[in-house]
Amino acid sequence: MCGIVGYVGKRPAVEILLAGLKRLEYRGYDSAGVAFFREEKIEIHKSEGKLENVEKLLNGRAPAYQDVCCGIGHTRWATHGKPTTQNAHPHRTGHVVLVHNGIIENYQEIKREIISKGYRPESETDSELFGFLVLEQMDRGASLMEAVRQSFARLQGACSVVIMSEREPNVVIGVRNGSPLVAAADPAGGTILASDAQPLLQFTRDVVFLEHGDIVLGTEKGLRFFELETGKPVARASSRLDWSVEKLDKQGFPHYMLKEIYEQPTALMDTLNGFLDRARTDSFPLAASQPGVALLEKAREITLVACGSSWHAASLGKYWLEKWARVPVTVELASEYRYRDPVLGANALLIGISQSGETADTLAVIREARKQGIPTIGITNVRGSTLSREADATFFTFAGPEIGVAATKTFLAQMLGLLIFSGFLSLKRDGWHAGSLVSLDSVSRLFEDMIRIPHLLSDFLGNGSSATGLAGVIRKIAAELASAKGFFFIGRGYSFPVALEGALKLKEIAYVHAEGYAAGELKHGPIAMIDREMVVVVLAPRDQWRDKTVSNLQEVKARGAIILGIGNASDEELIGLCDHWIELPSVKVDESLVPFFLTPVIQLLSYELALLHGTDVDKPRNLAKSVTVE
Ligand code: M6R
């Protein structure tokens, strides 16, 4: 999705804009640009492709920009119009220059109007049109602030805008009307704005998440907030973030994705600490500070709604909630669910899961549920995200910032959150559960195992450097499978959603065709595709489904597939069927926890295959980290 940065203050603005845009690269983009004041005029430098192209345009001139102290920058992910330099932001209309994130739904109508008034848009974007509205208002005598307010009233759709005018040098105005915008005062004097908090962290951890319908005025003196609708000043409190800027760097790993895979034990530990009241080890209550506890306790049926990897986490959640809490659960793709006419019973609870908290489809479902009076909970990794503001209550995962576009540690943290819910609801024995519950002892053991998981996973992952460690083994296997025609990931039970996630990871970062399948379903069609060039990755840990999975494996073995097995040591029968073999750790934990070991295996496999295919692992083509359009 598009990324916005704006700065006005005492520091060199060009450096700040470029560094800020780099922090936003993970959101996905296909063109970029910056605009800044030199004396009283605004210069624009923009290009299709990567940010480096803009840096090249500026290169060699950097010292000449040292005195620039006000500007805006943008990374664009094309929606209206191709990813060309002309369509790249910032856009100029006369003395007005702006960047925009989101969609102007009534842009056709606005375009007709401004053309009829003699204006000539130069790009194919909806964004540029807003500039003409502002220009027209200012030419009638309005201040920039007033012109932005009046022009915004004309727009339909969710977006945020950051804007400057040569008539008001060294002023940056930002509006949030749906799409997120975050602002902070620069302690050295000034204001910084961005689409998310990451570009701000180099200056401060105290940031303000603008509310929907806020307008912020940034000057060298700092920032002031107003209501977009009325123009009245409004007070906005800042939130203190616990994300340090060091946490955002790669710390020696070649890619963020790899770093984030290795951060999973910490992400799990922090999420356990965040969800549970760790002072109590006898009954494993949810932390009292978590505001959704009462909503969870009251639920008699649960609908989990999400997209992509979050939907895979939800699918695992269904298995766990049904097993441990005996609560009826449905799992829904947000993009489908929002356009259905679903039936929910009294005492239903809707849980929206989204690492970014900004996924448009998931948010639409939450809004609709709230309209209908259905209680909603959000699970997200991002404080201040729209999901956390709009759901009735939010549980935050504590995975820390995830920069790689592929969800890794946030996925594991979501899984853990849902497993904690399952154990917690199992302990609430108030007589309504659908069928008999597992014993209290086994729930206690489940929690004890959960608490051990970060350490066990850390041991399993090792430090990634040894040739005989997990990463080394996977690297060697990947090299042998790199030219395969395609991949099937198969599993049953808890391994099925992990198989789906394995196929998604491989597609998104290695651009290799892959499908995730329930092992029992292969013979209903896809088995026709199996031949000697097709790899079947079978997830077959020793659990209640293992024997059935091994039978399904025989079916593909007989048809010549190349088989990569992931299972437990001493499973000689399974090992005998496999051409390649990855061993899960020999640890005694409840089988509900096995997906926490299987998942890093499929993540590392996709990572290694992506390296061999030479793709842009952290920023795969065509993808965005937070998908704020439907
Ligand atoms: O931010 P969300 O969790 O709502 O995002 C949902 C999907 O867009 C996301 O999981 C996507 O599938 C990832 N790129 C997967 O790695």
PDB file of all heavy atoms in Angstrom, residues 261-295:
ATOM      1  N   ILE A 261      11.847 -14.895  11.126  1.00  0.00           N
ATOM      2  CA  ILE A 261      11.648 -16.328  11.416  1.00  0.00           C
ATOM      3  C   ILE A 261      12.392 -16.667  12.719  1.00  0.00           C
ATOM      4  O   ILE A 261      11.874 -17.362  13.595  1.00  0.00           O
ATOM      5  CB  ILE A 261      12.138 -17.200  10.247  1.00  0.00           C
ATOM      6  CG1 ILE A 261      11.211 -17.027   9.042  1.00  0.00           C
ATOM      7  CG2 ILE A 261      12.240 -18.666  10.649  1.00  0.00           C
ATOM      8  CD1 ILE A 261      11.691 -17.701   7.753  1.00  0.00           C
ATOM      9  N   TYR A 262      13.611 -16.132  12.836  1.00  0.00           N
ATOM     10  CA  TYR A 262      14.411 -16.435  14.036  1.00  0.00           C
ATOM     11  C   TYR A 262      13.932 -15.665  15.264  1.00  0.00           C
ATOM     12  O   TYR A 262      14.319 -15.998  16.386  1.00  0.00           O
ATOM     13  CB  TYR A 262      15.907 -16.204  13.755  1.00  0.00           C
ATOM     14  CG  TYR A 262      16.480 -17.394  13.016  1.00  0.00           C
ATOM     15  CD1 TYR A 262      16.441 -17.464  11.633  1.00  0.00           C
ATOM     16  CD2 TYR A 262      16.972 -18.494  13.708  1.00  0.00           C
ATOM     17  CE1 TYR A 262      16.898 -18.575  10.948  1.00  0.00           C
ATOM     18  CE2 TYR A 262      17.433 -19.612  13.040  1.00  0.00           C
ATOM     19  CZ  TYR A 262      17.389 -19.650  11.651  1.00  0.00           C
ATOM     20  OH  TYR A 262      17.836 -20.774  11.007  1.00  0.00           O
ATOM     21  N   GLU A 263      13.115 -14.666  15.063  1.00  0.00           N
ATOM     22  CA  GLU A 263      12.576 -13.925  16.220  1.00  0.00           C
ATOM     23  C   GLU A 263      11.324 -14.593  16.786  1.00  0.00           C
ATOM     24  O   GLU A 263      10.735 -14.096  17.757  1.00  0.00           O
ATOM     25  CB  GLU A 263      12.218 -12.491  15.802  1.00  0.00           C
ATOM     26  CG  GLU A 263      13.437 -11.591  15.687  1.00  0.00           C
ATOM     27  CD  GLU A 263      13.101 -10.228  15.104  1.00  0.00           C
ATOM     28  OE1 GLU A 263      11.996 -10.047  14.564  1.00  0.00           O
ATOM     29  OE2 GLU A 263      13.960  -9.336  15.180  1.00  0.00           O
ATOM     30  N   GLN A 264      10.913 -15.704  16.170  1.00  0.00           N
ATOM     31  CA  GLN A 264       9.632 -16.283  16.578  1.00  0.00           C
ATOM     32  C   GLN A 264       9.602 -16.744  18.036  1.00  0.00           C
ATOM     33  O   GLN A 264       8.601 -16.532  18.713  1.00  0.00           O
ATOM     34  CB  GLN A 264       9.223 -17.394  15.613  1.00  0.00           C
ATOM     35  CG  GLN A 264       8.900 -16.773  14.247  1.00  0.00           C
ATOM     36  CD  GLN A 264       8.378 -17.731  13.206  1.00  0.00           C
ATOM     37  OE1 GLN A 264       7.230 -17.664  12.821  1.00  0.00           O
ATOM     38  NE2 GLN A 264       9.218 -18.626  12.745  1.00  0.00           N
ATOM     39  N   PRO A 265      10.679 -17.324  18.556  1.00  0.00           N
ATOM     40  CA  PRO A 265      10.613 -17.684  19.974  1.00  0.00           C
ATOM     41  C   PRO A 265      10.329 -16.461  20.862  1.00  0.00           C
ATOM     42  O   PRO A 265       9.511 -16.528  21.783  1.00  0.00           O
ATOM     43  CB  PRO A 265      12.009 -18.264  20.255  1.00  0.00           C
ATOM     44  CG  PRO A 265      12.452 -18.796  18.915  1.00  0.00           C
ATOM     45  CD  PRO A 265      11.907 -17.822  17.914  1.00  0.00           C
ATOM     46  N   THR A 266      10.979 -15.338  20.558  1.00  0.00           N
ATOM     47  CA  THR A 266      10.743 -14.120  21.357  1.00  0.00           C
ATOM     48  C   THR A 266       9.319 -13.619  21.164  1.00  0.00           C
ATOM     49  O   THR A 266       8.660 -13.188  22.114  1.00  0.00           O
ATOM     50  CB  THR A 266      11.734 -13.009  20.912  1.00  0.00           C
ATOM     51  OG1 THR A 266      13.014 -13.585  20.841  1.00  0.00           O
ATOM     52  CG2 THR A 266      11.732 -11.845  21.852  1.00  0.00           C
ATOM     53  N   ALA A 267       8.847 -13.692  19.914  1.00  0.00           N
ATOM     54  CA  ALA A 267       7.475 -13.232  19.645  1.00  0.00           C
ATOM     55  C   ALA A 267       6.478 -14.060  20.460  1.00  0.00           C
ATOM     56  O   ALA A 267       5.502 -13.530  20.999  1.00  0.00           O
ATOM     57  CB  ALA A 267       7.176 -13.355  18.153  1.00  0.00           C
ATOM     58  N   LEU A 268       6.741 -15.356  20.569  1.00  0.00           N
ATOM     59  CA  LEU A 268       5.829 -16.223  21.331  1.00  0.00           C
ATOM     60  C   LEU A 268       5.911 -15.904  22.820  1.00  0.00           C
ATOM     61  O   LEU A 268       4.896 -15.824  23.518  1.00  0.00           O
ATOM     62  CB  LEU A 268       6.169 -17.697  21.084  1.00  0.00           C
ATOM     63  CG  LEU A 268       5.943 -18.211  19.659  1.00  0.00           C
ATOM     64  CD1 LEU A 268       6.300 -19.689  19.548  1.00  0.00           C
ATOM     65  CD2 LEU A 268       4.486 -18.006  19.228  1.00  0.00           C
ATOM     66  N   MET A 269       7.142 -15.713  23.283  1.00  0.00           N
ATOM     67  CA  MET A 269       7.320 -15.414  24.711  1.00  0.00           C
ATOM     68  C   MET A 269       6.614 -14.106  25.069  1.00  0.00           C
ATOM     69  O   MET A 269       5.871 -14.024  26.041  1.00  0.00           O
ATOM     70  CB  MET A 269       8.815 -15.286  24.989  1.00  0.00           C
ATOM     71  CG  MET A 269       9.174 -15.566  26.423  1.00  0.00           C
ATOM     72  SD  MET A 269      10.941 -15.469  26.647  1.00  0.00           S
ATOM     73  CE  MET A 269      11.604 -16.586  25.484  1.00  0.00           C
ATOM     74  N   ASP A 270       6.816 -13.097  24.241  1.00  0.00           N
ATOM     75  CA  ASP A 270       6.199 -11.800  24.524  1.00  0.00           C
ATOM     76  C   ASP A 270       4.682 -11.882  24.432  1.00  0.00           C
ATOM     77  O   ASP A 270       3.963 -11.225  25.189  1.00  0.00           O
ATOM     78  CB  ASP A 270       6.727 -10.728  23.548  1.00  0.00           C
ATOM     79  CG  ASP A 270       8.201 -10.421  23.790  1.00  0.00           C
ATOM     80  OD1 ASP A 270       8.720 -10.817  24.859  1.00  0.00           O
ATOM     81  OD2 ASP A 270       8.841  -9.804  22.919  1.00  0.00           O
ATOM     82  N   THR A 271       4.197 -12.701  23.519  1.00  0.00           N
ATOM     83  CA  THR A 271       2.739 -12.820  23.381  1.00  0.00           C
ATOM     84  C   THR A 271       2.148 -13.571  24.577  1.00  0.00           C
ATOM     85  O   THR A 271       1.084 -13.200  25.092  1.00  0.00           O
ATOM     86  CB  THR A 271       2.389 -13.508  22.031  1.00  0.00           C
ATOM     87  OG1 THR A 271       2.928 -12.694  20.985  1.00  0.00           O
ATOM     88  CG2 THR A 271       0.901 -13.650  21.834  1.00  0.00           C
ATOM     89  N   LEU A 272       2.861 -14.587  25.041  1.00  0.00           N
ATOM     90  CA  LEU A 272       2.401 -15.276  26.256  1.00  0.00           C
ATOM     91  C   LEU A 272       2.324 -14.292  27.413  1.00  0.00           C
ATOM     92  O   LEU A 272       1.340 -14.243  28.156  1.00  0.00           O
ATOM     93  CB  LEU A 272       3.388 -16.391  26.633  1.00  0.00           C
ATOM     94  CG  LEU A 272       3.216 -17.726  25.921  1.00  0.00           C
ATOM     95  CD1 LEU A 272       4.458 -18.588  26.088  1.00  0.00           C
ATOM     96  CD2 LEU A 272       1.989 -18.467  26.446  1.00  0.00           C
ATOM     97  N   ASN A 273       3.380 -13.488  27.544  1.00  0.00           N
ATOM     98  CA  ASN A 273       3.408 -12.512  28.645  1.00  0.00           C
ATOM     99  C   ASN A 273       2.307 -11.471  28.503  1.00  0.00           C
ATOM    100  O   ASN A 273       1.756 -10.997  29.485  1.00  0.00           O
ATOM    101  CB  ASN A 273       4.763 -11.797  28.705  1.00  0.00           C
ATOM    102  CG  ASN A 273       5.855 -12.744  29.143  1.00  0.00           C
ATOM    103  OD1 ASN A 273       5.580 -13.776  29.745  1.00  0.00           O
ATOM    104  ND2 ASN A 273       7.097 -12.416  28.823  1.00  0.00           N
ATOM    105  N   GLY A 274       1.994 -11.131  27.253  1.00  0.00           N
ATOM    106  CA  GLY A 274       0.970 -10.115  27.023  1.00  0.00           C
ATOM    107  C   GLY A 274      -0.441 -10.639  27.236  1.00  0.00           C
ATOM    108  O   GLY A 274      -1.315  -9.916  27.700  1.00  0.00           O
ATOM    109  N   PHE A 275      -0.666 -11.905  26.883  1.00  0.00           N
ATOM    110  CA  PHE A 275      -2.029 -12.450  26.975  1.00  0.00           C
ATOM    111  C   PHE A 275      -2.354 -12.967  28.373  1.00  0.00           C
ATOM    112  O   PHE A 275      -3.479 -12.852  28.831  1.00  0.00           O
ATOM    113  CB  PHE A 275      -2.195 -13.623  25.989  1.00  0.00           C
ATOM    114  CG  PHE A 275      -2.684 -13.229  24.620  1.00  0.00           C
ATOM    115  CD1 PHE A 275      -1.997 -12.296  23.870  1.00  0.00           C
ATOM    116  CD2 PHE A 275      -3.830 -13.796  24.073  1.00  0.00           C
ATOM    117  CE1 PHE A 275      -2.428 -11.931  22.594  1.00  0.00           C
ATOM    118  CE2 PHE A 275      -4.280 -13.445  22.807  1.00  0.00           C
ATOM    119  CZ  PHE A 275      -3.576 -12.518  22.067  1.00  0.00           C
ATOM    120  N   LEU A 276      -1.360 -13.592  28.992  1.00  0.00           N
ATOM    121  CA  LEU A 276      -1.649 -14.288  30.248  1.00  0.00           C
ATOM    122  C   LEU A 276      -1.228 -13.474  31.459  1.00  0.00           C
ATOM    123  O   LEU A 276      -0.291 -12.680  31.375  1.00  0.00           O
ATOM    124  CB  LEU A 276      -0.906 -15.625  30.292  1.00  0.00           C
ATOM    125  CG  LEU A 276      -1.379 -16.696  29.322  1.00  0.00           C
ATOM    126  CD1 LEU A 276      -0.450 -17.907  29.399  1.00  0.00           C
ATOM    127  CD2 LEU A 276      -2.808 -17.126  29.639  1.00  0.00           C
ATOM    128  N   ASP A 277      -1.911 -13.702  32.554  1.00  0.00           N
ATOM    129  CA  ASP A 277      -1.466 -13.128  33.817  1.00  0.00           C
ATOM    130  C   ASP A 277      -0.377 -14.063  34.343  1.00  0.00           C
ATOM    131  O   ASP A 277      -0.661 -15.076  34.976  1.00  0.00           O
ATOM    132  CB  ASP A 277      -2.659 -13.072  34.779  1.00  0.00           C
ATOM    133  CG  ASP A 277      -2.249 -12.486  36.107  1.00  0.00           C
ATOM    134  OD1 ASP A 277      -1.040 -12.243  36.303  1.00  0.00           O
ATOM    135  OD2 ASP A 277      -3.141 -12.279  36.944  1.00  0.00           O
ATOM    136  N   ARG A 278       0.888 -13.738  34.038  1.00  0.00           N
ATOM    137  CA  ARG A 278       1.969 -14.672  34.330  1.00  0.00           C
ATOM    138  C   ARG A 278       2.316 -14.743  35.806  1.00  0.00           C
ATOM    139  O   ARG A 278       3.098 -15.581  36.236  1.00  0.00           O
ATOM    140  CB  ARG A 278       3.211 -14.350  33.502  1.00  0.00           C
ATOM    141  CG  ARG A 278       3.055 -14.491  32.006  1.00  0.00           C
ATOM    142  CD  ARG A 278       2.708 -15.907  31.557  1.00  0.00           C
ATOM    143  NE  ARG A 278       3.597 -16.927  32.105  1.00  0.00           N
ATOM    144  CZ  ARG A 278       4.830 -17.166  31.681  1.00  0.00           C
ATOM    145  NH1 ARG A 278       5.309 -16.479  30.680  1.00  0.00           N
ATOM    146  NH2 ARG A 278       5.574 -18.092  32.223  1.00  0.00           N
ATOM    147  N   ALA A 279       1.704 -13.851  36.595  1.00  0.00           N
ATOM    148  CA  ALA A 279       1.939 -13.952  38.032  1.00  0.00           C
ATOM    149  C   ALA A 279       1.216 -15.184  38.583  1.00  0.00           C
ATOM    150  O   ALA A 279       1.518 -15.678  39.658  1.00  0.00           O
ATOM    151  CB  ALA A 279       1.430 -12.694  38.715  1.00  0.00           C
ATOM    152  N   ARG A 280       0.219 -15.682  37.812  1.00  0.00           N
ATOM    153  CA  ARG A 280      -0.555 -16.845  38.261  1.00  0.00           C
ATOM    154  C   ARG A 280      -0.184 -18.036  37.394  1.00  0.00           C
ATOM    155  O   ARG A 280      -0.309 -17.987  36.179  1.00  0.00           O
ATOM    156  CB  ARG A 280      -2.053 -16.562  38.088  1.00  0.00           C
ATOM    157  CG  ARG A 280      -2.550 -15.328  38.809  1.00  0.00           C
ATOM    158  CD  ARG A 280      -3.215 -15.706  40.125  1.00  0.00           C
ATOM    159  NE  ARG A 280      -4.310 -16.636  39.937  1.00  0.00           N
ATOM    160  CZ  ARG A 280      -5.552 -16.251  39.644  1.00  0.00           C
ATOM    161  NH1 ARG A 280      -5.827 -14.992  39.469  1.00  0.00           N
ATOM    162  NH2 ARG A 280      -6.507 -17.153  39.521  1.00  0.00           N
ATOM    163  N   THR A 281       0.276 -19.093  37.988  1.00  0.00           N
ATOM    164  CA  THR A 281       0.609 -20.262  37.170  1.00  0.00           C
ATOM    165  C   THR A 281      -0.298 -21.435  37.544  1.00  0.00           C
ATOM    166  O   THR A 281      -0.190 -22.510  36.984  1.00  0.00           O
ATOM    167  CB  THR A 281       2.076 -20.683  37.375  1.00  0.00           C
ATOM    168  OG1 THR A 281       2.308 -20.712  38.757  1.00  0.00           O
ATOM    169  CG2 THR A 281       3.035 -19.756  36.676  1.00  0.00           C
ATOM    170  N   ASP A 282      -1.224 -21.178  38.470  1.00  0.00           N
ATOM    171  CA  ASP A 282      -2.107 -22.262  38.895  1.00  0.00           C
ATOM    172  C   ASP A 282      -3.305 -22.401  37.960  1.00  0.00           C
ATOM    173  O   ASP A 282      -3.697 -23.478  37.573  1.00  0.00           O
ATOM    174  CB  ASP A 282      -2.569 -22.020  40.335  1.00  0.00           C
ATOM    175  CG  ASP A 282      -3.145 -20.612  40.513  1.00  0.00           C
ATOM    176  OD1 ASP A 282      -2.816 -19.736  39.675  1.00  0.00           O
ATOM    177  OD2 ASP A 282      -3.918 -20.398  41.454  1.00  0.00           O
ATOM    178  N   SER A 283      -3.866 -21.255  37.510  1.00  0.00           N
ATOM    179  CA  SER A 283      -5.112 -21.361  36.757  1.00  0.00           C
ATOM    180  C   SER A 283      -5.036 -20.730  35.365  1.00  0.00           C
ATOM    181  O   SER A 283      -5.998 -20.761  34.625  1.00  0.00           O
ATOM    182  CB  SER A 283      -6.225 -20.687  37.546  1.00  0.00           C
ATOM    183  OG  SER A 283      -5.820 -19.363  37.842  1.00  0.00           O
ATOM    184  N   PHE A 284      -3.932 -20.144  34.993  1.00  0.00           N
ATOM    185  CA  PHE A 284      -3.700 -19.560  33.670  1.00  0.00           C
ATOM    186  C   PHE A 284      -4.787 -18.582  33.217  1.00  0.00           C
ATOM    187  O   PHE A 284      -5.376 -18.737  32.154  1.00  0.00           O
ATOM    188  CB  PHE A 284      -3.538 -20.672  32.629  1.00  0.00           C
ATOM    189  CG  PHE A 284      -2.461 -21.640  33.000  1.00  0.00           C
ATOM    190  CD1 PHE A 284      -2.778 -22.886  33.494  1.00  0.00           C
ATOM    191  CD2 PHE A 284      -1.129 -21.267  32.875  1.00  0.00           C
ATOM    192  CE1 PHE A 284      -1.783 -23.774  33.857  1.00  0.00           C
ATOM    193  CE2 PHE A 284      -0.127 -22.162  33.229  1.00  0.00           C
ATOM    194  CZ  PHE A 284      -0.458 -23.412  33.734  1.00  0.00           C
ATOM    195  N   PRO A 285      -5.102 -17.565  34.027  1.00  0.00           N
ATOM    196  CA  PRO A 285      -6.111 -16.603  33.567  1.00  0.00           C
ATOM    197  C   PRO A 285      -5.535 -15.679  32.496  1.00  0.00           C
ATOM    198  O   PRO A 285      -4.320 -15.473  32.427  1.00  0.00           O
ATOM    199  CB  PRO A 285      -6.432 -15.802  34.830  1.00  0.00           C
ATOM    200  CG  PRO A 285      -5.200 -15.903  35.651  1.00  0.00           C
ATOM    201  CD  PRO A 285      -4.527 -17.193  35.307  1.00  0.00           C
ATOM    202  N   LEU A 286      -6.429 -15.115  31.692  1.00  0.00           N
ATOM    203  CA  LEU A 286      -5.989 -14.077  30.773  1.00  0.00           C
ATOM    204  C   LEU A 286      -5.664 -12.844  31.602  1.00  0.00           C
ATOM    205  O   LEU A 286      -6.279 -12.603  32.644  1.00  0.00           O
ATOM    206  CB  LEU A 286      -7.088 -13.742  29.775  1.00  0.00           C
ATOM    207  CG  LEU A 286      -7.399 -14.817  28.733  1.00  0.00           C
ATOM    208  CD1 LEU A 286      -8.482 -14.340  27.789  1.00  0.00           C
ATOM    209  CD2 LEU A 286      -6.162 -15.168  27.933  1.00  0.00           C
ATOM    210  N   ALA A 287      -4.725 -12.047  31.116  1.00  0.00           N
ATOM    211  CA  ALA A 287      -4.324 -10.858  31.865  1.00  0.00           C
ATOM    212  C   ALA A 287      -5.539  -9.956  32.048  1.00  0.00           C
ATOM    213  O   ALA A 287      -6.294  -9.717  31.101  1.00  0.00           O
ATOM    214  CB  ALA A 287      -3.227 -10.135  31.108  1.00  0.00           C
ATOM    215  N   ALA A 288      -5.721  -9.459  33.257  1.00  0.00           N
ATOM    216  CA  ALA A 288      -6.882  -8.618  33.533  1.00  0.00           C
ATOM    217  C   ALA A 288      -6.855  -7.362  32.669  1.00  0.00           C
ATOM    218  O   ALA A 288      -7.887  -6.778  32.370  1.00  0.00           O
ATOM    219  CB  ALA A 288      -6.895  -8.250  35.010  1.00  0.00           C
ATOM    220  N   SER A 289      -5.641  -6.980  32.221  1.00  0.00           N
ATOM    221  CA  SER A 289      -5.547  -5.775  31.402  1.00  0.00           C
ATOM    222  C   SER A 289      -6.114  -5.991  30.000  1.00  0.00           C
ATOM    223  O   SER A 289      -6.280  -5.062  29.241  1.00  0.00           O
ATOM    224  CB  SER A 289      -4.083  -5.348  31.293  1.00  0.00           C
ATOM    225  OG  SER A 289      -3.345  -6.413  30.738  1.00  0.00           O
ATOM    226  N   GLN A 290      -6.396  -7.237  29.657  1.00  0.00           N
ATOM    227  CA  GLN A 290      -6.952  -7.500  28.327  1.00  0.00           C
ATOM    228  C   GLN A 290      -8.452  -7.228  28.378  1.00  0.00           C
ATOM    229  O   GLN A 290      -9.203  -7.938  29.044  1.00  0.00           O
ATOM    230  CB  GLN A 290      -6.694  -8.959  27.911  1.00  0.00           C
ATOM    231  CG  GLN A 290      -5.229  -9.293  27.731  1.00  0.00           C
ATOM    232  CD  GLN A 290      -4.693  -8.792  26.393  1.00  0.00           C
ATOM    233  OE1 GLN A 290      -5.353  -8.026  25.689  1.00  0.00           O
ATOM    234  NE2 GLN A 290      -3.480  -9.194  26.054  1.00  0.00           N
ATOM    235  N   PRO A 291      -8.918  -6.237  27.640  1.00  0.00           N
ATOM    236  CA  PRO A 291     -10.294  -5.790  27.821  1.00  0.00           C
ATOM    237  C   PRO A 291     -11.360  -6.722  27.239  1.00  0.00           C
ATOM    238  O   PRO A 291     -12.530  -6.561  27.517  1.00  0.00           O
ATOM    239  CB  PRO A 291     -10.323  -4.441  27.091  1.00  0.00           C
ATOM    240  CG  PRO A 291      -9.219  -4.522  26.101  1.00  0.00           C
ATOM    241  CD  PRO A 291      -8.195  -5.452  26.650  1.00  0.00           C
ATOM    242  N   GLY A 292     -10.947  -7.731  26.435  1.00  0.00           N
ATOM    243  CA  GLY A 292     -11.968  -8.551  25.773  1.00  0.00           C
ATOM    244  C   GLY A 292     -12.352  -9.799  26.543  1.00  0.00           C
ATOM    245  O   GLY A 292     -13.144 -10.601  26.060  1.00  0.00           O
ATOM    246  N   VAL A 293     -11.816  -9.960  27.749  1.00  0.00           N
ATOM    247  CA  VAL A 293     -12.025 -11.223  28.469  1.00  0.00           C
ATOM    248  C   VAL A 293     -13.512 -11.517  28.659  1.00  0.00           C
ATOM    249  O   VAL A 293     -13.989 -12.625  28.390  1.00  0.00           O
ATOM    250  CB  VAL A 293     -11.292 -11.177  29.830  1.00  0.00           C
ATOM    251  CG1 VAL A 293     -11.537 -12.449  30.606  1.00  0.00           C
ATOM    252  CG2 VAL A 293      -9.798 -10.975  29.603  1.00  0.00           C
ATOM    253  N   ALA A 294     -14.270 -10.510  29.077  1.00  0.00           N
ATOM    254  CA  ALA A 294     -15.692 -10.736  29.347  1.00  0.00           C
ATOM    255  C   ALA A 294     -16.423 -11.134  28.072  1.00  0.00           C
ATOM    256  O   ALA A 294     -17.291 -12.024  28.097  1.00  0.00           O
ATOM    257  CB  ALA A 294     -16.307  -9.474  29.942  1.00  0.00           C
ATOM    258  N   LEU A 295     -16.070 -10.525  26.960  1.00  0.00           N
ATOM    259  CA  LEU A 295     -16.734 -10.860  25.684  1.00  0.00           C
ATOM    260  C   LEU A 295     -16.464 -12.310  25.307  1.00  0.00           C
ATOM    261  O   LEU A 295     -17.354 -13.035  24.863  1.00  0.00           O
ATOM    262  CB  LEU A 295     -16.227  -9.954  24.557  1.00  0.00           C
ATOM    263  CG  LEU A 295     -16.605  -8.485  24.619  1.00  0.00           C
ATOM    264  CD1 LEU A 295     -16.045  -7.744  23.411  1.00  0.00           C
ATOM    265  CD2 LEU A 295     -18.122  -8.336  24.652  1.00  0.00           C
TER     266      LEU A 295
END
